[in-house]
Amino acid sequence: KQEVTQIPAALSVPEGENLVLNCSFTDSAIYNLQWFRQDPGKGLTSLLLIQSSQREQTSGRLNASLDKSSGRSTLYIAASQPGDSATYLCAVLVGAQKLVFGQGTRLTINP
Amino acid sequence: DAGITQSPRHKVTETGTPVTLRCHQTENHRYMYWYRQDPGHGLRLIHYSYGVKDTDKGEVSDGYSVSRSKTEDFLLTLESATSSQTSVYFCATGGGPLTQTSNQPQHFGDGTRLSIL
């Protein structure tokens, strides 16, 4: 059974810092890995999607990497801003278009 | 966004009553999903649909049923609600219009907060 783990569960950093969020998964048989952002009381917003054949994806200040063989992904956020405060979730796509989620990292950026 | 509307947004009901949550999409996506989100468990898949009248179970399907009579609507029913079904329920769509592809992200609605007393 696929399991996804995100460490740390919570992270607080001062504004302007670069930071890394970690995601690990137990079964390398995935179709893709997705990073989402969730604001309080809201749904999930897709940030980046990395296909299983890719190593990384970039969008603005965000860069996500994927090492499928070791079951790891990282989300790098450059020059963090208070507006980046949210919960970040990673998920892997397994058979039949189903996503398995980690429990998320709650990120707080302090002005 | 993918134009996903969930209704109702909030509901309080009593144990033993039937409850139906509705998800409506405007993007003609093939796949639709129902998740529940609980502290300590994250998001877990309840049921999903891969086409009109085509549905399958997810990880936590006991006590839930679904129906999809039109591409745009996916209903989640709790036949006899229990307190353990108190949760936030999210609908999602994906897979693109009438295609089975892994290169598109899932899109999520804003959730329904359900409390069962």
Side-chain angles (χ1 to χ4, degrees):
Chain A
K1 176 186 174 185
Q2 179 72 264
E3 293 183 358
V4 180
T5 302
Q6 292 186 246
I7 296 173
L11 181 64
S12 180
V13 300
E15 180 179 2
E17 281 201 3
N18 303 325
L19 58 99
V20 174
L21 306 182
N22 296 295
C23 173
S24 62
F25 48 96
T26 56
D27 188 342
S28 62
I30 65 171
Y31 291 95
N32 66 44
L33 184 143
Q34 300 179 36
W35 282 94
F36 295 88
R37 168 188 174 133
Q38 185 176 27
D39 294 292
K42 295 292 188 180
L44 281 65
T45 300
S46 177
L47 297 174
L48 290 164
L49 182 152
I50 311 175
Q51 297 288 355
S52 62
S53 58
Q54 297 175 324
R55 297 285 292 182
E56 66 177 329
Q57 281 287 334
T58 298
S59 176
R61 294 182 294 107
L62 306 179
N63 175 276
S65 68
L66 174 64
D67 183 342
K68 201 172 72 163
S69 61
S70 68
R72 296 180 184 275
S73 176
T74 61
L75 178 66
Y76 175 83
I77 303 176
S80 58
Q81 303 171 358
D84 295 330
S85 296
T87 296
Y88 290 80
L89 295 151
C90 77
V92 294
L93 189 71
V94 297
Q97 296 281 313
K98 293 187 287 187
L99 280 174
V100 178
F101 283 86
Q103 293 195 32
T105 294
R106 188 172 68 255
L107 178 63
T108 302
I109 307 298
N110 302 302
Chain B
D1 206 340
I4 301 172
T5 304
Q6 292 187 231
S7 59
R9 292 294 317 279
H10 300 88
K11 186 173 182 67
V12 180
T13 190
E14 295 182 347
T15 301
T17 60
V19 177
T20 295
L21 307 183
R22 180 175 181 255
C23 178
H24 178 79
Q25 60 140 334
T26 59
E27 297 297 311
N28 201 34
H29 285 165
R30 175 179 178 179
Y31 286 82
M32 297 186 76
Y33 309 83
W34 278 107
Y35 295 90
R36 61 178 290 176
Q37 186 174 36
D38 305 287
H41 291 279
L43 274 146
R44 293 178 293 174
L45 182 65
I46 305 171
H47 281 281
Y48 68 101
S49 169
Y50 48 95
V52 173
K53 297 185 180 179
D54 292 323
T55 65
D56 205 350
K57 296 178 180 180
E59 179 186 356
V60 289
S61 59
D62 288 348
Y64 302 95
S65 62
V66 290
S67 65
R68 192 171 179 196
S69 59
K70 298 185 291 185
T71 298
E72 58 266 34
D73 291 325
F74 193 33
L75 303 181
L76 176 71
T77 298
L78 291 64
E79 300 290 348
S80 178
T82 68
S83 58
S84 65
Q85 294 175 311
T86 292
S87 186
V88 181
Y89 291 85
F90 288 99
C91 174
T93 70
L98 304 179
T99 62
Q100 185 171 351
T101 175
S102 65
N103 65 354
Q104 298 185 33
Q106 289 189 10
H107 300 272
F108 283 76
D110 283 339
T112 293
R113 187 172 297 274
L114 178 63
S115 296
I116 301 166
L117 307 178

